[in-house]
């Protein structure tokens, strides 16, 4: 399954950060197949965090920054939102979809003391659901364009945003939480 890079007309300008992160991650893998990246990302995160002290889940790399647990649950929450939007648009529902306030959600995630293994299992479960949805889509579904957060959005852009958001947080985990 080849899910080509979305055009700028298929997403909000802010999404370019995630689209570019996906392109960079694909390049680093030596492929242009988004499916491969979507499949391997959760395993890469699990491998990265395999040998860390489980107490790291409550570590914030700076005052006022999210803990590792909060950051990881944010990845899972955001993927759920993006996948829901992907499903709605792919199914032809053109109802404008609202934005969400990630900063309001994070404290409500209540990750303090939550086991890292549990959070990683959640991420893997969410990604498995996303993969099932992505795999089910045909060309007509990929070609739909709806509205989210006041901007045009396509299923293709959302799939690339899911991968790019994950890639962004994988890099943050490596650079900010583990490099201490």
């Amino acid at each position: 399954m080849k899910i080509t890079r979305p055009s700028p007309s298929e997403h909000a300008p802010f999404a370019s950060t995630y689209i570019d992160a996906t392109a960079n991650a694909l390049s680093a893998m030596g492929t242009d197949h988004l499916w491969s990246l979507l499949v391997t990302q959760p395993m890469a995160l699990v491998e990265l965090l395999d040998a860390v002290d489980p107490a790291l889940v409550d570590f914030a790399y700076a005052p006022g920054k999210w803990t590792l647990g909060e950051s990881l649950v944010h990845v899972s929450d955001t993927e759920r939102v993006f996948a829901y939007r992907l499903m709605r648009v792919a199914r032809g529902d053109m109802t404008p979809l609202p934005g969400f306030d990630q900063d309001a959600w994070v404290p409500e995630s209540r990750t303090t003391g939550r086991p890292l293994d549990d959070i990683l299992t959640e991420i893997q479960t969410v990604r498995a659901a996303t993969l099932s949805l992505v795999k089910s889509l045909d060309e007509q579904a990929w070609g739909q364009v709806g509205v989210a957060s006041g901007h045009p959005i396509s299923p293709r852009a959302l799939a690339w945003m899911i991968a790019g958001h994950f890639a962004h947080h994988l890099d943050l985990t490596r650079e900010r939480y583990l490099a201490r």
Side-chain angles (χ1 to χ4, degrees):
M1 165 187 321
K2 178 107 170 166
I3 306 165
T4 58
R5 184 181 180 128
S7 73
S9 67
E10 295 178 64
H11 58 81
F14 77 84
S16 293
T17 299
Y18 300 135
I19 304 295
D20 291 344
T22 298
N24 292 339
L26 289 169
S27 179
M29 287 178 65
T31 185
D32 62 353
H33 291 281
L34 181 64
W35 181 260
S36 298
L37 180 60
L38 289 169
V39 167
T40 60
Q41 282 180 322
M43 293 179 286
L45 180 62
V46 168
E47 288 174 12
L48 179 65
L49 297 174
D50 184 48
V52 303
D53 180 347
L56 187 67
V57 74
D58 294 324
F59 168 74
Y61 62 85
K65 295 297 184 180
W66 296 342
T67 65
L68 175 61
E70 289 170 334
S71 178
L72 294 174
V73 170
H74 160 76
V75 169
S76 184
D77 286 350
T78 301
E79 183 158 334
R80 283 181 170 116
V81 170
F82 288 175
Y84 174 71
R85 291 174 177 177
L86 192 157
M87 179 189 67
R88 292 271 305 260
V89 175
R91 299 288 192 256
D93 185 343
M94 296 301 131
T95 306
L97 300 167
F100 69 102
D101 184 352
Q102 66 183 18
D103 293 317
W105 288 21
V106 168
E108 298 300 321
S109 68
R110 297 178 182 80
T111 62
T112 302
R114 188 170 168 198
L116 181 59
D117 287 347
D118 184 52
I119 294 170
L120 293 173
T121 297
E122 179 179 341
I123 288 170
Q124 292 170 306
T125 302
V126 169
R127 179 54 61 90
T130 299
L131 290 169
S132 183
L133 174 61
V134 165
K135 188 177 180 181
S136 75
L137 301 181
D138 62 14
E139 283 302 314
Q140 183 176 348
W142 287 112
Q144 301 279 13
V145 177
V147 174
S149 301
H151 298 278
I153 195 72
S154 71
R156 179 182 11 265
L158 285 157
W160 275 66
M161 289 166 61
I162 287 167
H165 183 258
F166 197 108
H168 168 72
H169 280 277
L170 190 59
D171 288 345
L172 279 178
T173 299
R174 201 178 286 112
E175 296 165 8
R176 302 285 173 105
Y177 294 96
L178 300 181
R180 55 185 186 116

